[in-house]
Amino acid sequence: MLDVLLAAITIVVAYFLGTIPSGYLVAKVRGVNIQQVGSGNIGATNVLRALGVVPAIIVVILDPLKGALATLLPGIVGLGPWVTALAGLAAVLGNDFNVLLRMKGGKGIATSIGVFMVIDPLTTLMCLVLGIFTILLSRYVSLGSLVGMAALPLFVIVQGEYIGPRLLLAAALLGLAVYRHSSNIQRLVAGNERRLGERSAKG
């Protein structure tokens, strides 16, 4: 019973770690409400377009960091891999559906990277390289993000895990990424998604 209570508390704490709105806070320091600029998203891509490289780099560092911290928590208090996976998922949910921002938030890619980097660094790095390569090739951040996330459960399966916390977490993170990028997917299909470096009112 004590372990169940500890697991529940850890998952809740992980969610609230995920709600730390890095992009929103970085923009606020510059006097900008990032939710009223560009796409309205609080993630690094919109921060880059609205505020430039340095603020975006700060967000790129902080968003994975909060995911990593949330995922490390269960191990610190002696809980197992299933709670670790649930804590990681909770952190991404906190980022994507932020109770502090009226259930709005980012798209969860950077936080997902931090989460899975704790669980499986090599697989995460392979997905990251694949995603960055796709962005460089296509100049679509959304496409690179989705390609990298789609590779995550595939790489886990290739390693021989057909069921378990790693695979189920990878699948859940992919599902969240697809859901949060639904408008981007529609624009990609329509051929009017904004490329990295392009200026537009919405993206």
Side-chain angles (χ1 to χ4, degrees):
M1 185 66 183
L2 186 60
D3 282 350
V4 172
L5 180 60
L6 184 58
I9 292 171
T10 302
I11 291 167
V12 171
V13 170
Y15 171 84
F16 279 102
L17 276 173
T19 65
I20 298 171
S22 309
Y24 180 86
L25 294 174
V26 168
K28 207 69 175 174
V29 169
R30 297 282 294 272
V32 175
N33 184 344
I34 196 65
Q35 291 185 297
Q36 296 177 357
V37 176
S39 66
N41 191 274
I42 66 171
T45 301
N46 198 39
V47 171
L48 173 64
R49 287 168 175 159
L51 298 173
V53 174
V54 174
I57 289 174
I58 295 172
V59 177
V60 165
I61 292 170
L62 292 179
D63 274 352
L65 183 60
K66 69 184 183 184
L69 288 174
T71 311
L72 285 168
L73 273 179
I76 292 171
V77 297
L79 297 170
W82 281 105
V83 180
T84 298
L86 288 172
L89 179 58
V92 179
L93 286 169
N95 178 84
D96 291 2
F97 307 100
N98 194 328
V99 70
L100 305 177
L101 298 177
R102 299 180 181 180
M103 302 310 287
K104 295 180 180 179
K107 296 190 176 179
I109 302 303
T111 306
S112 295
I113 289 169
V115 165
F116 226 83
M117 187 66 77
V118 171
I119 292 171
D120 190 340
L122 181 58
T123 296
T124 307
L125 286 172
M126 289 191 296
C127 292
L128 193 54
V129 169
L130 184 59
I132 291 172
F133 178 76
T134 303
I135 292 170
L136 292 175
L137 201 63
S138 67
R139 288 177 49 227
Y140 289 126
V141 175
S142 56
L143 181 61
S145 299
L146 289 167
V147 167
M149 291 304 298
L152 192 57
L154 295 177
F155 281 144
V156 173
I157 291 171
V158 167
Q159 292 169 30
E161 184 170 322
Y162 302 107
I163 190 167
R166 267 196 324 156
L167 180 57
L168 293 181
L169 175 61
L173 294 179
L174 171 58
L176 276 173
V178 170
Y179 177 76
R180 295 295 290 167
H181 283 82
S182 57
S183 60
N184 300 89
I185 293 169
Q186 291 172 8
R187 289 194 294 270
L188 284 166
V189 171
N192 56 16
E193 173 72 326
R194 186 167 18 154
R195 294 180 190 268
L196 188 63
E198 286 182 353
R199 296 183 180 276
S200 176
K202 288 284 180 183

